[in-house]
């Protein structure tokens, strides 16, 4: 199960429901002569209150996305369908089985789709341990993307907060509760002398791969420096419903010696 926060904020200051964002990114659709967008074979198994149950066609898999109270999944789905039709695109998620368009996409892009399958075990494992990023990291911002066979994470920690990447890595690679990963290469700058110019950020980079050999893996970029994303980041997160205990840990309020960081 994945819990969604209420909203994100667009650059122009508008609130954007995370539930809509999830449907926009996940549900499969296609335009003529264009690769299928979203997740191939993703289907809606049920809607139960605030819970959207997702599955993969022709499997018994199940993922539950829980929206905030009052989330109208039916309305979002209807709006998304109409939006795609207006754009002359074909929504695919109502078909009970894989569509011909999805199979054609898989056959037409074997390298891309093959890499997605090769790295699927990483995504599945991270999804079951997603709370690690909230509970075991000092980062106030976590971003990720996939490049070929590698899943990259970039985590930002403010300079007046201790950069504790060892805790996250230890839990992620724990032999019992973690993923079958090992650190194969790293470059840590924690003990380097401080920069004379505080505009620069430090970065500790860790490369991880499967314990049993090479192949798809993870790269973590732990960045430490001036707070990014505007001087009102904490206020914005508070307004959007972020947990206050977490905010107090990763974006502490202004104190002597950290006021400049909080205002950056």
């Amino acid at each position: 199960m994945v819990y969604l926060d209420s909203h994100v904020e667009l650059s122009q200051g508008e609130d954007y429901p995370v539930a809509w964002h999830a449907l926009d990114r996940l549900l499969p659709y296609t335009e003529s002569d264009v690769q299928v967008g979203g997740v191939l074979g993703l289907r809606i198994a049920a809607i139960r209150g605030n819970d959207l149950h997702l599955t993969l066609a022709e499997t018994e898999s199940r993922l539950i996305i829980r929206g905030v109270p009052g989330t109208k999944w039916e309305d979002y789905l209807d709006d998304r369908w109409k939006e795609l039709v207006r754009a002359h695109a074909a929504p695919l998620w109502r078909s009970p089985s894989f569509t011909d368009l999805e199979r054609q996409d898989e056959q037409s892009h074997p390298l891309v789709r093959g890499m997605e399958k090769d790295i699927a075990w990483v995504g599945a494992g991270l999804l079951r341990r997603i709370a690690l990023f909230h509970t075991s990291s000092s980062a106030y911002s976590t971003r990720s993307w996939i490049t070929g066979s590698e899943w990259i994470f970039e985590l930002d920690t403010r300079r007046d907060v201790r950069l504790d990447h060892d805790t996250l890595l230890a839990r992620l690679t724990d032999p019992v509760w973690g993923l079958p990963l090992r650190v194969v290469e790293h470059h840590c700058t924690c003990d380097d002398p401080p920069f004379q110019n505080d505009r620069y950020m430090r970065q500790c980079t860790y490369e991880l791969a499967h314990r049993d050999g090479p192949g798809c893996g993870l790269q973590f970029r732990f960045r430490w420096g001036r707070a990014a994303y505007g001087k009102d980041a904490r206020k914005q997160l508070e307004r959007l419903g972020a947990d206050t205990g977490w905010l107090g840990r990763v974006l502490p309020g202004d104190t002597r010696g950290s006021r400049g960081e909080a205002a950056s």
Side-chain angles (χ1 to χ4, degrees):
M1 178 179 290
V2 176
Y3 292 85
L4 301 181
D5 293 331
S6 57
H7 294 84
V8 296
E9 187 172 61
L10 301 179
S11 58
Q12 58 266 43
E14 299 175 0
D15 284 349
Y16 183 59
V18 176
W20 173 268
H21 179 69
L23 298 183
D24 183 38
R25 298 293 180 177
L26 294 174
L27 295 179
Y29 66 93
T30 188
E31 301 172 78
S32 58
D33 300 323
V34 177
Q35 183 175 331
V36 172
V39 180
L40 291 179
L42 191 69
R43 302 293 186 263
I44 297 167
I47 298 175
R48 296 173 182 165
N50 301 321
D51 293 349
L52 180 71
H53 292 237
L54 299 174
T55 186
L56 288 175
E58 304 169 11
T59 75
E60 296 182 357
S61 60
R62 184 65 61 98
L63 170 66
I64 300 173
I65 298 181
R66 172 161 294 175
V68 296
T71 297
K72 301 294 185 182
W73 288 113
E74 294 91 344
D75 293 345
Y76 287 152
L77 288 165
D78 187 54
D79 290 344
R80 179 61 178 152
W81 186 280
K82 292 177 180 176
E83 179 186 68
L84 289 169
V85 171
R86 285 195 298 268
H88 305 289
L92 303 175
W93 62 85
R94 289 182 181 173
S95 173
S97 58
F98 268 87
T99 64
D100 290 340
L101 291 169
E102 288 168 306
R103 296 190 190 281
Q104 290 170 13
D105 178 281
E106 197 168 34
Q107 294 169 3
S108 300
H109 304 89
L111 182 61
V112 174
R113 297 310 183 187
M115 286 182 176
E116 289 177 353
K117 290 183 178 180
D118 289 343
I119 205 170
W121 69 272
V122 177
L126 290 174
L127 189 60
R128 289 167 172 81
R129 296 162 179 84
I130 197 167
L132 284 179
F133 293 92
H134 188 81
T135 60
S136 306
S137 165
S138 58
Y140 61 87
S141 171
T142 300
R143 299 169 299 282
S144 73
W145 62 93
I146 297 172
T147 303
S149 60
E150 189 170 51
W151 204 313
I152 300 173
F153 282 84
E154 194 169 75
L155 300 91
D156 283 352
T157 296
R158 205 170 72 182
R159 186 175 289 114
D160 59 336
V161 176
R162 180 172 173 262
L163 177 60
D164 181 17
H165 47 55
D166 291 347
T167 297
L168 174 61
L169 291 171
R171 292 178 178 176
L172 188 64
T173 60
D174 184 88
V176 176
W177 306 111
L179 291 174
L181 292 166
R182 59 189 175 91
V183 176
V184 294
E185 186 176 341
H186 78 281
H187 176 69
C188 181
T189 64
C190 288
D191 295 329
D192 289 359
F195 287 123
Q196 294 183 353
N197 190 328
D198 65 1
R199 290 182 300 174
Y200 297 114
M201 300 186 73
R202 293 193 181 285
Q203 178 172 301
C204 299
T205 306
Y206 284 79
E207 302 276 355
L208 294 88
H210 197 284
R211 283 198 208 114
D212 298 333
C216 299
L218 289 167
Q219 181 189 97
F220 282 89
R221 303 173 182 175
F222 298 95
R223 308 198 317 164
W224 187 68
R226 294 171 65 90
Y229 312 119
K231 63 181 180 180
D232 296 325
R234 177 171 175 131
K235 291 181 180 179
Q236 291 173 0
L237 289 169
E238 287 175 340
R239 184 173 60 78
L240 295 172
D243 179 75
T244 55
W246 174 77
L247 281 173
R249 181 166 59 84
V250 301
L251 282 175
D254 289 356
T255 58
R256 186 181 302 272
S258 65
R259 187 176 301 274
E261 302 295 341
S264 62

